Amino acid sequence: MAVDYAVIVVYLAGMLAMGWWGMRRAKSKSEFLVAGRRLGPWMYSGTMAAIVLGGASTIGGVGLGYQYGLSGAWMVFTIGLGLLALSVFFSARIARLKVYTVSEMLDLRYGGRAGVISGVVMWAYTLMLAVTSTIAYATIFDVLFDVNRTVAIILGGAIVVAYSTLGGMWSITITDMVQFVVKTIGVLLLLLPIAVVKAGGFSEMKAELPTEYFDPLGIGGETIFTYVLIYTFGMLIGQDIWQRVFTARNDRTARWGGTVAGTYCLVYAVAGAVIGTAAKVMYPTLPSADAAFATIVKDELPVGVRGLVLAAALAAVMSTSSGALIACATVANNDIWSRLRGVVAKDDGVERDEVKGNRAFILIMGVAVIVIAIALNNVVEALTVAYNLLVGGLLVPILGGLLWRRGTAAGALAAVAVGGAAVIGLMAGYGILANEPVYYGLLASLAVYVVVSLATKPTDAAVLSAWRERLAGRGTEETAAPDPVGV
């Protein structure tokens, strides 16, 4: 394992070096939080794909393939569909708003009264997303170094917190681009063909496994529908995803770069399911489906290649973790803390102080994430709670604001409150992993939004006029100058 260790150590050292480079570059709030809104199409595509394809998409995607066969691709496939929908239909408008958070968008659309409540919901989502990503370090470092769970979480989490705190979005962007390359080589170009060959090829896989393993709908229609509802729609409204859209240099970059990233996700989904199916042939009696990835890597790959593929898994986890962490800190500082203090964030020239403040929040949130990850055991339940709150509480007011002119601030606030409360109450009644909470919570949010909006005074014409100006790319002095790094 010495060669594999060397590969991993070099990779981790490189991540920290990128953090140091980002610290030297991030000199303003815009640079620190959204990479100066300067990313070109190739870097934007790579980093967007990196953040949405995390440990759940890699380790979990292979596990679903092990359990259900090719239909196990549906979870990651619906993530790709969500990213495609966001990129084609909404990303250009989102990028033109020149804001930093989803709650700022809601304030612009509804007149400044939706920010704190929506910020709390979004903060809870990004916090749980960061926690679940951090827990995934335990699986990878256990395979690598045979260390206990707590040490693994602290080790992996500390590295992510370090480079994220140092350079903000610039550090995360550069590291995510490296992680995208490592994932592509490690999972798609190495692990996928090796797993298929080791399993005897597709003909042997079909001969060894039941026919339902090769049924595209074998995982079940209700499960697929739930994936669409949670992950496809979740991609449309998550702060971690929107914050990456804000990094795009222009509308075209956001639209076409995101489309490329979404297509990549579809390919990644199928690859994970095929790897899991091959693992089922080689190891038919594993104690856990989630152990399939680590087992096939540990037992079937040659020295050096094994280190690279484990680095790919580590890259997947780190990219999602760092993206969720900066999103969580941005929401906590800009949408909650600043508003509670009565301070409105402005680009008024006090840029270094704003960088220090945001850097401090990343450090604080990072430490909190590590502590919660150590204390929490059930990753699936935490992630389900996060996505249920996000979709049930925020999907309707966000998409309603973008698509329905008659929506009002009162309707948006009611939708957030009722949808969020309904999801929490229904999870208590049906169980956290049940499908009903997000179904009924979303319907309740939609009904309340429509009824309250129609029953209250329409949004002020001046607010709507300012909103249309921002959607058209006007009404803000912030510019996105070309940059040689944002290729």
Side-chain angles (χ1 to χ4, degrees), residues 106-123:
L106 291 173
D107 277 352
L108 283 172
R109 169 58 181 83
Y110 294 112
R113 288 179 288 171
V116 175
I117 295 178
S118 62
V120 170
V121 175
M122 189 64 76
W123 174 78

Side-chain angles (χ1 to χ4, degrees), residues 326-485:
I326 193 171
C328 177
T330 303
V331 171
N333 188 17
N334 289 265
D335 294 336
I336 300 175
W337 177 243
S338 294
R339 293 169 191 268
L340 291 177
R341 292 192 304 143
V343 177
V344 179
K346 296 180 180 178
D347 292 324
D348 55 4
V350 191
E351 295 176 333
R352 289 181 179 273
D353 288 341
E354 291 195 37
V355 169
K356 290 178 182 178
N358 283 290
R359 183 174 283 138
F361 264 86
I362 291 180
L363 180 60
I364 293 168
M365 291 297 106
V367 172
V369 164
I370 292 173
V371 172
I372 295 172
I374 292 172
L376 200 63
N377 287 320
N378 197 314
V379 180
V380 176
E381 288 190 358
L383 193 61
T384 301
V385 170
Y387 271 100
N388 282 354
L389 278 174
L390 178 70
V391 174
L394 290 179
L395 178 66
V396 169
I398 291 172
L399 293 188
L402 289 169
L403 300 174
W404 191 38
R405 181 175 178 176
R406 187 60 181 82
T408 66
L413 288 171
V416 173
V418 171
V423 163
I424 293 173
L426 290 167
M427 282 192 294
Y430 284 99
I432 290 177
L433 299 179
N435 294 326
E436 288 84 358
V438 71
Y439 295 167
Y440 299 142
L442 188 56
L443 288 174
S445 179
L446 177 61
V448 169
Y449 179 73
V450 173
V451 171
V452 174
S453 292
L454 293 176
T456 53
K457 183 180 178 181
T459 305
D460 187 85
V463 172
L464 288 178
S465 177
W467 166 252
R468 287 192 295 270
E469 287 289 302
R470 292 295 285 268
L471 280 179
R474 300 184 293 269
T476 177
E477 297 178 358
E478 189 173 336
T479 60
D483 189 286
V485 176

Side-chain angles (χ1 to χ4, degrees), residues 263-353:
T263 304
Y264 179 90
C265 292
L266 303 184
V267 174
Y268 201 89
V270 176
V274 171
I275 293 168
T277 304
K280 184 67 175 179
V281 174
M282 290 183 280
Y283 309 98
T285 58
L286 288 178
S288 167
D290 285 340
F293 180 90
T295 302
I296 195 171
V297 169
K298 191 173 184 179
D299 294 348
E300 302 296 336
L301 299 186
V303 173
V305 173
R306 178 171 50 204
L308 184 59
V309 173
L310 286 171
L314 193 59
V317 175
M318 293 177 82
S319 58
T320 300
S321 180
S322 59
L325 176 60
I326 193 171
C328 177
T330 303
V331 171
N333 188 17
N334 289 265
D335 294 336
I336 300 175
W337 177 243
S338 294
R339 293 169 191 268
L340 291 177
R341 292 192 304 143
V343 177
V344 179
K346 296 180 180 178
D347 292 324
D348 55 4
V350 191
E351 295 176 333
R352 289 181 179 273
D353 288 341

